[in-house]
Amino acid sequence: MLGFRIDRFVLASALLASSVATIAGAAANAPGPLAPTVINVSVVPAERAATILRSVYPHATIRVDRAANAIVVVAPPDVVAGMRAIVTGIDTKNPTDTTVEAVQLHSASPPDVIARIRATFPHAHFTAAPNRTIVVSAVPSDMAEIKSVVAAIDTPPLAPTPRPVYPPVAVRVVDGNTALIARAVARAVPNVRVAVSGAQVVLVGPPDDVAHAKDLVGQLDQVPAGVQYTNVYRLRYVDAGSVARLLERSFHGLDVQVDKDLNAVTAFATTSVQQRIANAVAQLDAPPPGAPGSGGPGEAGGGIAGTEVVTLKAAVPGTAGAASTSAADIAQTVQSALAGTAPDLKVTVHPNSTRLVLTGSPYSISLAKNLIAQLDVAEPLVVLDTEVLEVDENVQKQLGLKFPTAALSTTYSELTPAAQANGNASQLLSLQPLTRTPLTLGAELDFLITTNRAKILEDPRITTFSGRTASLRAGETVNILTTTGGGTGTVATTQVQSFQTGVTLDITPVVNSDDYVTVSLHPSVNTEAGVSAAGVPNIQTRDTTTTVGLHDGETIVVGGLIEDTDSRNVQKIPILGDLPLIGKLFQDVGVNHTRNELIVTVTPHIVKPGNNADFGQSTIGVPTPAPLPTLAPTATLPPVSRAPRPRRTPVVITQNTPAPELTAEPAPFPSATPIAGANAKTPQPLPSAFGATNVFTYGTAPPNNYVDPSQPPQIFFVQAQPTVIRNGQALTISAITSSNVTTLAFGASQVATQASLARIGTGQWQSTFNFSTAGLPASTGNVSMVLVATTNLGGTATLRIPFSVVGP
């Protein structure tokens, strides 16, 4: 202790020598009054620390707060920093001082631990405290070693090895006294615990001892020879029906009953036959490989698992090579439901198909097939008659006098300077008389009222399964080119960014009992509300989500998607436009009123077997299994007239690189009539292609010609007449293309355009024009003209049409 205190004084002296040179200057140059600073002391007394500081800094003001064991110092900041360093150096514990700590024990006894370590640490003091605690008083160096030794001694004893858990085995007593047999087995096999449950003896113990006890029960429970009794054999891995049929063939006259619910076989026979049946069942009802009891380490027996493929009838195949979601749901349900009854069963979904692969024992596969047959039920079809009505009203008023920026104007000008008398030019700064033009008043009379009313009606019909979502979309895709990069060290990349506008309707019907349909609707309207400064369209969205319930054939109406905008703009001449009564003569008032409302109606119809009723206004019938009408046996058919078949030319679709040629056979376009001409105000239906002569026909009318704007264009249907033509003769061409086609041109080649077809609808074209032989060979005969479809992105689709040019 004395040596440590001497070290403190040596440290204080060193600090004194390093800082005494700056005390006088710091005290003399301190600007203004100094604030007191508190230095806390925790280990040594504050008086002792203050004495040391006064000896080092005699010019500083140092006071002691005994209640807080702190020092209050009034000195410059650098002096206070030096004082803090000194106090930190001396305010520490003596490393040789004795410390006291309590050590908690977990398993050992405190007196035993103290007796074992006291001789090792003679300078330490140990005291046994309550709650398995030892109070140790020792120097810090010994304290660390004492804790380590106590931790090594206080080790909990090893846990005893758990006793193995053996499953109970029940043995049925047929003829003997169950209690007497149980006592006899318990005395003969002491390692087996024996209990009585009704007419059964329950055995628990090692497998070898339990087997010995079962044999002993069988010996004690002897049935008189020739006496028949009933025994039940429950099966786990094989089908009870197949085992019963095998037993009937093996034992003549055996009375065997099958319980399908329990998968058990009941046999009525004598003791010898029952023993043979038990041995046969034990060999047949073996677990499959890998299952508990399948003959693995420590197990006996074994079996062979089978595999069977089940094709579902109502599952929907997956897309893009993925597994069917409905098949996956059925597989998961079967696996979970039969986990306890058939633990060896494994159900696998075949990719991109509606087949399930069942692996397991015959009994497990039989259970799975029965459950799959109950789950594999086709969901009912629902026909959805929808109507989307969008009412757009726009009223614009522009009334009053519209004045230009300079409503009242005149022009002042200086006269041309005259020459002086001596002939010299006039002085530069001389001011000439000013003149002005007559006053001009300009105004424009606005007297305009514009009213626009538009009604857009869509009447689509779709069919979907119960629980499946059907989507309808009617609108346009706004495409813009965006460029990224292009800076230093980067490459500029241009890509097409698409924005969807229009009406989108998502419908999910769910068919419940009693023809009750729950319908979830999500209509949304996206409109272009302007373009930002960066050139990106601003899309305004209105949508709602609702779920309703209604019966088959009832109609739901969803409205309220209203956009109502009013704006008023007033331009007037100051002062004059504010005058009462006549002020409106000097005003120009513009009023805009816009109102847009969307109304959606949905009528669900449940498609039932044999129901060919007409739903709504559609003429599409529901197919039925009724046979088609046939001719009478004595009927005769007229001879077949074979008309010459026109030559077909394949379509070549190109976009950057040529695509393979299309080889689709042309088919007639249903319900079409000849067009009136290219200049007709009302588009006419497409011409008929049934049995027409002197007509070129390609392809068929598609059920839907909508494609993504980024996809290559396609030509679905083309009809041109006549095909035997002369120069200047009228030629009519009708076509159906994909919705992304912007121009459809006709000419002698892909670059020579003779005429451009007029668009009459989305992807529908028709025109009548005079055929020209310009650009064709001088000689007449068979020629091949080209129909070229082009998109905004540069994709093209080409169709060659053969013609026979005759005459001059």
Side-chain angles (χ1 to χ4, degrees):
M1 180 67 72
L2 179 60
F4 177 65
R5 292 178 179 176
I6 292 175
D7 292 340
R8 291 182 183 178
F9 286 111
V10 172
L11 175 62
S13 300
L15 294 174
L16 174 63
S18 63
S19 58
V20 89
T22 60
I23 296 176
N29 298 328
L34 300 176
T37 304
V38 178
I39 301 175
N40 294 319
V41 183
S42 59
V43 178
V44 300
E47 292 86 353
R48 182 59 180 165
T51 302
I52 297 175
L53 294 179
R54 290 190 186 100
S55 62
V56 178
Y57 302 99
H59 300 284
T61 302
I62 300 174
R63 296 192 301 272
V64 177
D65 187 351
R66 294 181 176 84
N69 195 36
I71 302 172
V72 181
V73 178
V74 179
D78 54 348
V79 176
V80 173
M83 291 182 179
R84 290 185 182 278
I86 294 174
V87 171
T88 302
I90 64 178
D91 192 28
T92 57
K93 290 185 178 181
N94 189 347
T96 60
D97 289 346
T98 303
T99 59
V100 179
E101 292 188 23
V103 181
Q104 183 70 40
L105 303 180
H106 299 284
S107 58
S109 174
D112 297 341
V113 175
I114 293 174
R116 298 179 60 179
I117 65 176
R118 176 171 292 169
T120 307
F121 302 96
H123 301 289
H125 181 70
F126 304 95
T127 303
N131 298 328
R132 293 180 178 270
T133 305
I134 299 177
V135 179
V136 182
S137 176
V139 297
S141 58
D142 291 343
M143 183 64 70
E145 296 182 4
I146 291 172
K147 288 183 177 180
S148 300
V149 174
V150 171
I153 296 175
D154 188 29
T155 302
L158 297 176
T161 303
R163 298 181 59 184
V165 178
Y166 301 110
V169 177
V171 181
R172 183 182 179 185
V173 178
V174 179
D175 188 66
N177 189 311
T178 306
L180 296 178
I181 293 176
R183 294 194 195 98
V185 171
R187 287 193 296 267
V189 188
N191 293 332
V192 176
R193 289 182 297 170
V194 183
V196 176
S197 177
Q200 294 180 337
V201 176
V202 181
L203 308 175
V204 179
D208 296 340
D209 295 337
V210 169
H212 178 58
K214 290 174 63 178
D215 294 340
L216 184 57
V217 171
Q219 295 176 8
L220 296 176
D221 186 28
Q222 289 291 338
V223 180
V227 177
Q228 294 183 343
Y229 61 92
T230 303
N231 200 4
V232 179
Y233 302 93
R234 295 199 58 178
L235 306 174
R236 296 184 57 189
Y237 304 105
V238 295
D239 182 55
S242 60
V243 173
R245 289 191 295 270
L246 180 60
L247 294 178
E248 288 176 350
R249 290 195 300 267
S250 302
F251 301 94
H252 180 70
L254 180 64
D255 186 6
V256 181
Q257 302 294 330
V258 178
D259 190 340
K260 294 183 178 180
D261 296 334
L262 298 178
N263 194 42
V265 175
T266 302
F268 182 73
T270 60
T271 304
S272 59
V273 176
Q274 294 285 6
Q275 185 64 36
R276 295 170 59 188
I277 293 175
N279 295 336
V281 169
Q283 296 179 11
L284 294 174
D285 192 28
S294 60
E299 296 180 346
I304 299 177
T307 302
E308 189 169 344
V309 178
V310 177
T311 301
L312 302 178
K313 297 176 293 184
V316 180
T319 57
S324 170
T325 55
S326 50
D329 294 340
I330 293 178
Q332 183 179 2
T333 302
V334 172
Q335 193 81 53
S336 302
L338 302 180
T341 309
D344 60 312
L345 177 66
K346 182 179 180 182
V347 184
T348 306
V349 182
H350 189 274
N352 196 22
S353 69
T354 58
R355 293 189 294 270
L356 300 180
V357 180
L358 308 179
T359 305
S361 63
Y363 172 64
S364 300
I365 293 178
S366 176
L367 292 179
K369 291 175 64 177
N370 294 335
L371 183 56
I372 290 174
Q374 300 177 22
L375 298 176
D376 187 22
V377 179
E379 295 291 338
L381 287 175
V382 181
V383 176
L384 300 171
D385 284 332
T386 62
E387 289 186 359
V388 180
L389 178 64
E390 186 176 3
V391 181
D392 192 359
E393 297 181 0
N394 187 3
V395 178
Q396 181 179 3
K397 296 180 181 180
Q398 196 75 25
L399 302 175
L401 290 176
K402 185 177 182 180
F403 296 93
T405 304
L408 184 64
S409 64
T410 185
T411 303
Y412 288 89
S413 61
E414 184 183 4
L415 295 178
T416 303
Q420 297 182 3
N422 54 9
N424 296 330
S426 62
Q427 296 180 2
L428 178 63
L429 299 178
S430 62
L431 184 62
Q432 304 300 321
L434 299 177
T435 62
R436 67 173 178 84
T437 60
L439 292 174
T440 301
L441 178 63
E444 180 180 349
L445 178 61
D446 281 345
F447 198 74
L448 178 66
I449 299 177
T450 304
T451 301
N452 296 327
R453 288 183 173 88
K455 182 173 70 172
I456 303 174
L457 176 63
E458 297 177 1
D459 189 11
R461 162 175 289 190
I462 55 176
T463 304
T464 183
F465 284 106
S466 173
R468 299 281 181 173
T469 301
S471 298
L472 299 174
R473 180 181 178 274
E476 297 181 354
T477 302
V478 181
N479 298 320
I480 64 171
L481 294 177
T482 59
T483 303
T484 58
T488 303
T490 60
V491 179
T493 303
T494 303
Q495 58 183 358
V496 179
Q497 187 174 2
S498 301
F499 299 88
Q500 303 294 335
T501 61
V503 180
T504 302
L505 178 61
D506 295 333
I507 312 175
T508 306
V510 177
V511 178
N512 303 308
S513 59
D514 298 332
D515 293 343
Y516 194 76
V517 184
T518 302
V519 181
S520 298
L521 296 175
H522 179 207
S524 64
V525 182
N526 297 329
T527 56
E528 186 175 354
V531 181
S532 64
V536 179
N538 297 323
I539 305 300
Q540 182 180 6
T541 302
R542 291 175 291 157
D543 64 347
T544 183
T545 302
T546 182
T547 302
V548 296
L550 61 164
H551 289 282
D552 182 14
E554 295 181 347
T555 302
I556 174 178
V557 180
V558 179
L561 296 176
I562 302 174
E563 180 184 6
D564 200 335
T565 305
D566 287 312
S567 64
R568 181 182 179 88
N569 185 21
V570 179
Q571 296 180 355
K572 61 183 178 179
I573 296 178
I575 301 175
L576 297 179
D578 297 329
L579 295 177
L581 300 179
I582 64 173
K584 293 187 178 297
L585 298 177
F586 303 95
Q587 295 180 358
D588 184 65
V589 181
V591 178
N592 289 327
H593 174 72
T594 303
R595 188 177 189 275
N596 181 277
E597 181 178 2
L598 180 69
I599 301 174
V600 180
T601 65
V602 178
T603 304
H605 303 281
I606 303 174
V607 179
K608 299 179 181 179
N611 182 11
N612 57 351
D614 182 15
F615 299 135
Q617 299 177 355
S618 176
T619 58
I620 302 177
V622 179
T624 64
L628 296 176
T630 58
L631 296 175
T634 59
T636 58
L637 297 176
V640 179
S641 60
R642 298 186 179 272
R645 191 172 185 179
R647 179 184 174 187
R648 310 302 188 201
T649 305
V651 180
V652 180
I653 299 178
T654 60
Q655 187 173 12
N656 298 329
T657 58
E661 295 185 349
L662 301 178
T663 58
E665 282 294 327
F669 179 62
S671 64
T673 58
I675 60 176
N679 299 324
K681 295 183 179 180
T682 303
Q684 299 296 324
L686 296 179
S688 175
F690 287 105
T693 59
N694 201 15
V695 176
F696 171 83
T697 305
Y698 171 82
T700 58
N704 184 3
N705 66 339
Y706 176 80
V707 298
D708 189 85
S710 62
Q711 297 296 323
Q714 301 181 52
I715 299 177
F716 297 112
F717 174 82
V718 174
Q719 188 167 349
Q721 61 177 346
T723 57
V724 179
I725 195 167
R726 67 181 69 244
N727 186 30
Q729 184 178 354
L731 172 64
T732 301
I733 299 179
S734 305
I736 298 179
T737 65
S738 54
S739 60
N740 59 348
V741 174
T742 55
T743 59
L744 187 62
F746 176 80
S749 64
Q750 296 187 12
V751 295
T753 301
Q754 183 178 129
S756 295
L757 273 68
R759 178 188 292 185
I760 63 173
T762 303
Q764 298 182 6
W765 312 80
Q766 60 182 6
S767 285
T768 300
F769 52 89
N770 295 329
F771 181 81
S772 175
T773 58
L776 298 179
S779 61
T780 60
N782 295 330
V783 296
S784 179
M785 304 297 288
V786 180
L787 193 66
V788 182
T790 310
T791 65
N792 284 331
L793 302 181
T796 60
T798 304
L799 173 66
R800 294 191 176 274
I801 304 177
F803 288 92
S804 296
V805 181
V806 296

